[in-house]
Amino acid sequence: MLKKLIPVKAHLKETLRRSIVKTVSYRIAMLIMDFTAIYLFTGQVKVALVFMVVSNIYATVGYFLHERIWDKILWGKILHDKAEKK
């Protein structure tokens, strides 16, 4: 497992599948947080559910597009040379 945390020696482009999985996992966490926050403020399950659904539809699309755009931006990325020694 530690091997997966060590940077690789070449730039890896993010796959579409990875972006989708990241989007889904992030949105699940946000669904839970949105529902909890709205329910705590209103005390109404129906209001919390409606807000959660509506806000997460547009937020999911926005997050996915944001991730795909940032993956194409080279600024802040480091290209490691495969010949580079440890």
Side-chain angles (χ1 to χ4, degrees):
M1 181 167 170
L2 183 59
K3 223 177 198 183
K4 290 183 180 181
L5 299 176
I6 299 171
V8 294
K9 297 296 180 189
H11 170 69
L12 299 175
K13 182 175 177 158
E14 181 143 327
T15 64
L16 177 62
R17 183 176 180 183
R18 179 179 164 89
S19 288
I20 291 171
V21 170
K22 283 173 59 179
T23 300
V24 170
S25 67
Y26 178 78
R27 291 319 313 164
I28 288 170
M30 292 302 100
L31 281 167
I32 294 166
M33 291 172 61
D34 284 350
F35 177 83
T36 303
I38 299 303
Y39 178 74
L40 290 174
F41 284 120
T42 66
Q44 298 180 28
V45 172
K46 187 176 180 180
V47 171
L49 286 172
V50 169
F51 177 83
M52 178 185 72
V53 169
V54 171
S55 70
N56 280 282
I57 289 171
Y58 67 79
T60 299
V61 173
Y63 177 82
F64 176 78
L65 294 173
H66 182 263
E67 280 288 309
R68 296 306 291 174
I69 291 167
W70 267 99
D71 188 51
K72 295 183 184 325
I73 298 171
L74 296 179
W75 175 80
K77 290 185 177 181
I78 299 172
L79 180 60
H80 294 280
D81 184 6
K82 287 184 180 181
E84 186 179 318
K85 294 184 180 184
K86 293 181 181 180

